[in-house]
């Protein structure tokens, strides 16, 4: 075991670099390549991969092959079933001890995992709401706390590398992983991403992995890992800033995009990787996504064989390969170096970066044995996030809040299901397995009964993709109100590809049948993406977008539906009205052109930032201290917001900027700031914000960040469509 004095990333850097240089100088080629190799945990256990026989019992023969012979330096993932914290501790300690005893240099293994909404691959940890729900809270403090909680869960397991946060933009509603993103607005993604980063790394001992560099979330067809086309200015101005911000906040690893952007697969995008490492000065390491060297050959067809693909990816700047299950990468890369096709300097650079991260998180100091936090559950925090994330999209004719004595029938495929609340990446990858659910937690139907008792009944009604045989009149006829929980069953990656945003035919028929009964109805949407609900919007009185709210979602949604708590979530993306008009936020002038040559061609069902509550807020007109802005100065603006309704509430005050004329078609509004304020009934608060010239920057046709002098508008309000505005001019050379 190594003993070092300083492990903080910013202290003792030269001491660190000396230590690493010495270690690298002692390493053989095989040991270096081993450090660049990441294997799935199931490569080390008895039994098959992804089968019930996947026991998670470590196989000493396999450990000898991969950890001793190939010197593999990083292990990730789990098997089929989620181990408890105790089981994780045993597994990870056994792996670290094996490496100490059975490798020449005893370099600790970096254990990694996806923990994107809590430590969801640990059987006894709380499952938090997904990132999109976190984005809807507009409350970065909660995201920071969630990252802290997740980190302590992982450290207790002996896991020190989290494949989160996802910094992709929610720009393609068809994409099946949109729930893993925070928002469509780059500013919001950067804010939440840095909150996650600082929360996760605050107490040391954890590396996080920003993913997926870059543009993975915007496939043209909507299908996972299919080609993306991004205008160079959008890449620079919208997709990259969240990564840059999280790196500045201390993120030390990055995962590459498994798809391609403008024809270039993410794993061989030399220019982008060079930009990150050289222009931004990123000192950490870059890891491939799952089996992506193979995909360069078999899917993207940019390499003639695995070895050629390995050479291209490593030379482009990929430092570690998520192989995931065998020695193909090690064999290929070792041969490439021996043949001179990959210089040793590139290998040393990659290994130095990897060891630097291991050093920074304290692995050489034995933190691997740190059983930091044995409090596995963080239910009240998960509840608070679920509560603040639900978005009330419609509430008419007094449908909500529900009253305790009203007869409520709750129905639909998500009404009585923990899996429907947790979504994918929950205990299992797809999140559809019910075996690992904690049945002591409430589904929405169970939680509603807590308030309404015998007045609440649950009728299963429909599956996601098929109907149950029910008599609608008999099942629902006596209800005062009906709550229908629809959406989509958990799915992710290729498994989540769809051909249309419409709800399944079964759910469409189900909603048609329920709404034709003429009984006041509200729908609750549990879904990862905005499925089309337009046909029923006029005939239902209430709509709640619950996203995937996690294990505490039942209680949170019931509290909101019965008015025990107030809604405060706002849409982190645009809710589309039509299946074929999917342009979301932000949008340009030409997105607004319509068929009658007018400017009404941008008709979202609900705009970005939208969300109602049980109370009402009024915004006074915006006040700014100037109509001119000069270099080196800032504009100070404010708005007074008053709670004019009957209930205490939290309001997300949002402010946006508009460049009136620019050399690259400007977005109509860009989100540039937000603040969530708490207001008792009758109270007011004045929210202040400053606009520095930095905020006016845009990327011009030469891909350079500039400020183009001229007129701008700032808009402030409760969503992106209802803004109080102030016009000002930026003057570069005041007379
Ligand atoms: C996903 C990544 C994930 C990795 C490891 C890949 O298929 O795209 O987001 O981190 O698997 O589970």
């Amino acid at each position: 075991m190594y003993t070092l004095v300083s492990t903080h990333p910013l202290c003792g850097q030269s001491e660190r670099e000396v230590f690493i240089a010495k270690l690298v100088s002692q390493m053989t080629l095989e040991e270096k390549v081993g450090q660049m190799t990441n294997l799935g945990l199931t490569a080390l256990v008895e039994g098959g991969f992804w089968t019930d026989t996947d026991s998670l019992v470590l196989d000493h023969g396999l450990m000898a092959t991969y950890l001793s012979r190939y010197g593999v330096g990083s292990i990730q993932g789990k098997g089929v079933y989620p181990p408890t914290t105790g089981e994780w501790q045993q597994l990870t300690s056994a792996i670290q001890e094996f490496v100490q005893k059975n490798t020449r240099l005893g370099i600790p293994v970096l254990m990694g995992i996806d923990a994107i909404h809590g430590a969801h691959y640990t059987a006894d940890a709380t499952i938090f709401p997904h990132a999109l729900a976190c984005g809807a809270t507009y409350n970065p403090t909660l995201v920071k706390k969630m990252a802290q909680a997740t980190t302590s869960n992982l450290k207790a397991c002996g896991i020190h590398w989290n494949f989160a946060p996802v910094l992709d933009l929610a720009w393609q509603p068809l994409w099946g992983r949109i729930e893993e993103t925070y928002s469509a607005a780059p500013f919001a993604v950067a804010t939440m991403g840095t909150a996650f980063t600082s929360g996760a790394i605050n107490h040391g001992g954890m590396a996080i992995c920003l993913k997926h560099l870059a543009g993975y979330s915007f496939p043209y067809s909507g299908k996972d890992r299919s080609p993306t086309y991004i205008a160079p200015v959008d890449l620079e101005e919208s997709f990259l800033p969240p990564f840059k911000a999280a790196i500045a906040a201390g993120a030390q690893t990055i995962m590459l995009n498994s798809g391609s952007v403008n024809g270039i697969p993410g794993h061989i995008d030399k220019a982008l990787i060079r930009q990150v490492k050289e222009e931004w000065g990123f000192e950490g390491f870059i890891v491939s996504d799952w089996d992506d060297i193979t995909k360069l050959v078999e899917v993207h067809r940019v390499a003639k064989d695995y070895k050629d693909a390995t050479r291209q990816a490593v030379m482009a700047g990929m430092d570690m390969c998520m192989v995931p299950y065998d020695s193909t990468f090690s064999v290929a890369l070792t041969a490439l170096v021996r043949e001179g096709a990959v210089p040793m300097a590139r290998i040393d650079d990659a290994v130095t970066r990897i060891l630097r991260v291991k050093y920074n998180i304290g692995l050489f100091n034995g933190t691997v044995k740190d059983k930091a936090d044995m409090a596995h559950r963080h239910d009240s925090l998960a509840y608070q996030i679920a509560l603040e994330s639900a978005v009330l999209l419609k509430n008419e004719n007094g449908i909500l809040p529900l009253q305790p004595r009203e007869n409520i029938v709750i129905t639909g495929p998500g009404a009585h299901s923990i899996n429907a609340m947790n979504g994918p990446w929950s205990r299992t990858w797809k999140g559809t397995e019910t075996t690992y659910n904690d049945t002591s937690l409430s589904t929405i139907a169970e939680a509603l009964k807590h308030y309404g008792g015998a007045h609440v009944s649950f009728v299963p009604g429909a599956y996601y993709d098929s109907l149950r045989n029910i008599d609608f009149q008999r099942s629902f006829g006596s209800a005062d109100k009906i709550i229908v929980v629809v959406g989509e069953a958990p799915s992710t990656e290729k498994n989540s590809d769809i051909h249309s945003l419409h709800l399944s035919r079964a759910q469409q028929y189900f909603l048609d049948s329920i709404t034709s009964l003429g009984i006041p109805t509200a729908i609750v949407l549990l879904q990862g993406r905005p499925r089309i609900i337009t046909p029923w919007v006029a005939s239902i009185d209430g709509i709640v977008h619950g996203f995937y709210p996690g294990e505490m979602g039942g209680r949170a949604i019931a509290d909101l539906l019965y008015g025990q708590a107030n809604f405060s979530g706002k849409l982190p993306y645009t809710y589309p009205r039509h299946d074929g008009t999917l342009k979301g936020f932000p949008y340009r002038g030409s997105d607004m052109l319509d068929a009658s040559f007018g400017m009404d061609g941008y008709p979202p069902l609900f705009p970005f930032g939208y969300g109602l509550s049980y109370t009402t807020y009024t915004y006074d007109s915006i006040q700014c201290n100037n109509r001119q802005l000069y270099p080196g100065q800032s504009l100070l603006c404010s708005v007074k917001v008053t709670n004019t309704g009957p209930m205490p509430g939290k309001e997300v005050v949002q402010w946006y900027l508009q460049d009136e004329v620019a050399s690259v078609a400007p977005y109509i509004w860009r989100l540039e700031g937000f603040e969530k304020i708490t207001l008792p009934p009758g109270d007011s608060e004045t929210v202040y914000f400053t606009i520095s010239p930095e905020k006016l920057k845009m990327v011009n046709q030469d891909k350079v960040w500039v400020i183009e002098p001229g007129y701008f508008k700032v808009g402030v309000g409760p969503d992106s469509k209802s803004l109080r505005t102030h016009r000002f001019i930026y003057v570069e050379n005041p007379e």
Side-chain angles (χ1 to χ4, degrees):
M1 181 60 67
Y2 300 82
T3 314
L4 296 167
V5 186
S6 148
T7 56
H8 191 280
L10 298 178
C11 306
Q13 284 198 8
S14 54
E15 182 190 341
R16 176 191 71 194
E17 295 302 309
V18 168
F19 171 82
I20 292 169
K22 189 167 169 222
L23 190 51
V24 173
S25 72
Q26 293 166 0
M27 291 169 81
T28 63
L29 171 61
E30 286 75 7
E31 285 164 343
K32 290 176 185 174
V33 169
Q35 288 302 309
M36 294 172 68
T37 307
N38 172 285
L39 288 191
L41 179 61
T42 43
L44 302 183
V45 301
E46 293 175 3
F49 304 148
W50 309 113
T51 69
D52 292 342
T53 55
D54 170 3
S55 58
L56 288 193
V57 173
L58 290 168
D59 179 316
H60 279 250
L62 291 171
M63 288 211 286
T65 303
Y66 292 119
L67 300 177
S68 307
R69 177 159 158 222
Y70 288 105
V72 169
S74 177
I75 301 290
Q76 58 83 25
K78 57 164 191 61
V80 169
Y81 86 90
T84 60
T85 305
E87 288 171 318
W88 268 123
Q89 276 167 9
Q90 283 175 10
L91 275 165
T92 55
S93 303
I95 290 171
Q96 300 292 6
E97 275 160 28
F98 185 91
V99 167
Q100 293 309 315
K101 287 189 189 137
N102 299 289
T103 63
R104 199 171 65 89
L105 296 168
I107 299 173
V109 170
L110 181 59
M111 300 292 307
I113 203 153
D114 295 287
I116 56 178
H117 63 132
H120 48 76
Y121 283 162
T122 300
D124 44 0
T126 302
I127 296 200
F128 282 86
H130 270 269
L132 196 59
C134 294
T137 67
Y138 285 84
N139 189 339
T141 306
L142 291 177
V143 171
K144 186 171 179 179
K145 287 184 180 166
M146 169 182 144
Q148 274 163 349
T150 306
T151 292
S152 58
N153 280 154
L154 293 183
K155 280 164 70 177
C157 293
I159 299 173
H160 298 268
W161 186 24
N162 185 356
F163 304 148
V166 174
L167 298 184
D168 294 309
L169 301 181
W171 277 20
Q172 169 52 289
L174 280 164
W175 186 50
R177 299 183 71 177
I178 201 169
E179 77 274 0
E180 293 180 48
T181 69
Y182 286 112
S183 176
F187 175 82
V189 176
T191 304
M192 296 307 195
T194 48
F196 186 100
T197 304
S198 58
I201 67 177
N202 228 358
H203 300 296
M206 181 60 54
I208 54 151
C209 187
L210 313 177
K211 63 190 193 185
H212 306 78
L213 188 77
Y216 173 48
S217 62
F218 195 42
Y220 180 77
S221 70
K223 309 286 191 302
D224 188 49
R225 291 172 157 83
S226 65
T228 295
Y229 302 96
I230 303 180
V233 291
D234 280 341
L235 187 69
E236 205 54 50
E237 197 175 283
S238 298
F239 283 84
L240 294 183
F243 286 89
K244 206 170 180 181
I247 290 168
Q252 300 182 58
T253 81
I254 300 175
M255 190 183 292
L256 292 169
N257 168 12
S258 185
S260 64
V261 176
N262 304 336
I264 302 173
H267 286 67
I268 58 165
D269 192 339
K270 295 180 253 195
L272 182 57
I273 298 175
R274 192 181 312 124
Q275 181 176 357
V276 171
K277 285 184 173 176
E278 290 172 23
E279 283 177 34
W280 300 2
F282 175 66
E283 291 192 332
F285 72 83
I286 294 189
V287 64
S288 80
D289 200 345
W290 180 273
D291 199 17
D292 268 293
I293 301 300
T294 311
K295 291 192 198 91
L296 290 176
V297 185
E298 293 176 4
V299 178
H300 297 297
R301 299 165 60 164
V302 291
K304 61 179 188 304
D305 54 28
Y306 192 92
K307 197 166 153 194
D308 183 28
T310 302
R311 181 189 55 79
Q312 291 192 47
V314 172
M315 290 311 290
M318 180 197 80
D319 302 304
M320 184 187 280
C321 178
M322 197 183 283
V323 182
Y325 287 134
D326 55 32
S327 56
T328 44
F329 175 76
S330 308
V331 171
L333 186 53
T334 310
L336 285 163
V337 179
R338 292 231 160 85
E339 290 158 13
V342 172
M344 191 59 98
R346 173 74 266 273
I347 301 293
D348 286 350
D349 170 52
V351 175
T352 299
R353 289 169 176 277
I354 292 162
L355 295 179
R356 192 178 283 142
V357 173
K358 289 189 175 186
Y359 185 105
N360 286 344
I361 61 173
L363 282 191
F364 290 107
N365 265 356
T367 350
V368 286
K369 294 215 187 298
D370 169 16
K371 306 206 169 122
D373 179 6
M374 298 306 293
H376 316 140
R377 304 284 315 178
H378 298 277
D379 290 354
S380 54
L381 178 60
Y383 166 80
Q384 189 61 29
I385 299 176
L387 199 69
E388 291 199 25
S389 68
V391 182
L392 182 63
L393 293 173
K394 182 174 182 185
N395 187 20
E396 287 176 8
N397 303 319
I399 183 95
L400 297 177
L402 305 174
Q403 303 303 318
R405 293 190 173 279
E406 288 170 342
N407 288 326
I408 308 295
V409 179
I410 176 164
T411 186
H416 185 43
S417 163
I418 299 261
N419 298 71
M421 298 192 299
N422 286 347
W425 306 93
S426 297
R427 312 284 185 233
T428 59
W429 174 62
K430 283 192 202 165
T432 45
E433 180 57 68
T434 54
T435 320
Y436 310 114
N437 291 339
D438 181 344
T439 48
S440 68
L441 300 169
S442 306
T443 62
I444 301 178
E446 287 167 339
L448 282 189
K449 280 181 193 259
H450 173 75
Y451 291 111
H455 292 286
V456 173
S457 56
F458 165 63
V459 171
Y463 301 101
Y464 282 107
D465 289 318
S466 61
L467 289 164
R468 292 172 185 257
N469 193 9
I470 55 164
D471 177 329
F472 281 88
Q473 196 56 46
R474 187 157 350 123
S475 301
F476 300 101
S478 62
D480 294 321
K481 292 174 179 172
I482 304 174
I483 304 291
V484 195
V485 187
V486 288
E488 56 186 1
S491 64
T492 186
E493 300 194 44
K494 287 312 289 176
N495 174 251
S496 64
D497 283 357
I498 51 174
H499 297 292
S500 158
L501 262 189
H502 283 288
L503 287 167
S504 63
R505 284 183 66 79
Q507 292 184 89
Q508 292 185 35
Y509 176 85
F510 189 58
L511 284 172
D512 283 345
S513 306
I514 296 223
T515 48
S516 68
L517 295 171
I519 298 169
T521 297
I523 60 173
V524 175
L525 300 162
L526 294 188
Q527 55 189 15
R529 52 197 148 190
R531 307 299 290 246
I532 299 297
I533 51 168
T534 312
W536 306 280
V537 168
S539 50
I540 50 183
D541 291 319
I543 306 172
V544 174
H545 194 342
F547 305 94
Y548 286 129
E551 279 180 336
M552 302 309 290
R555 247 190 67 200
I557 288 174
D559 285 359
L560 290 165
L561 293 181
Y562 271 101
Q564 300 301 306
N566 203 349
F567 286 91
S568 67
K570 301 273 188 168
L571 282 181
Y573 56 15
T574 307
Y575 209 104
R577 186 183 297 271
H578 305 291
D579 196 24
T581 307
L582 297 180
K583 182 70 194 106
F585 184 87
Y587 56 97
R588 293 188 157 97
S590 48
D591 285 312
M592 296 163 73
L593 280 173
D594 65 39
S596 315
F597 307 102
M599 292 299 272
D600 287 328
Y602 182 72
L605 187 58
F606 301 107
F608 178 88
Y610 186 76
L612 304 167
S613 85
Y614 289 136
T615 193
T616 46
Y617 303 99
T618 54
Y619 283 67
D620 285 4
S621 56
I622 182 171
Q623 306 290 326
C624 294
N625 65 349
N626 219 328
R627 291 210 172 265
Q628 285 91 33
L629 181 59
Y630 301 112
Q633 296 187 347
S634 285
L635 216 57
L636 178 64
C637 299
S638 66
V639 66
K640 186 171 155 199
V641 184
T642 307
N643 182 345
T644 47
M647 214 176 150
K650 292 184 178 185
E651 168 69 340
V652 180
V653 181
Q654 306 158 39
W655 69 273
Y656 298 80
L657 277 178
Q658 183 180 102
D659 194 346
E660 286 192 355
V661 178
S663 61
V664 171
Y667 285 112
I668 297 303
W669 289 110
R670 286 194 323 204
L671 180 74
E672 289 295 340
F674 56 84
E675 190 174 332
K676 195 166 199 176
I677 55 171
T678 303
L679 281 179
D683 267 24
S684 302
E685 184 171 333
T686 301
V687 174
Y688 295 89
F689 52 96
T690 47
I691 304 171
S692 63
E694 192 65 19
K695 285 278 192 188
L696 310 182
K697 278 190 168 169
M698 56 164 279
V699 175
N700 70 11
Q701 292 187 24
D702 299 323
K703 276 182 54 182
V704 178
W705 284 90
V706 292
I707 310 177
E708 294 184 346
Y711 280 100
F712 291 81
K713 274 197 198 89
V714 51
V716 64
D719 61 64
S720 61
K721 276 280 187 188
S722 327
L723 299 174
R724 304 300 195 107
T725 63
H726 171 89
R727 190 169 186 242
F728 63 96
I729 187 166
Y730 177 74
V731 183
E732 203 165 49
N733 298 309
E735 298 286 297

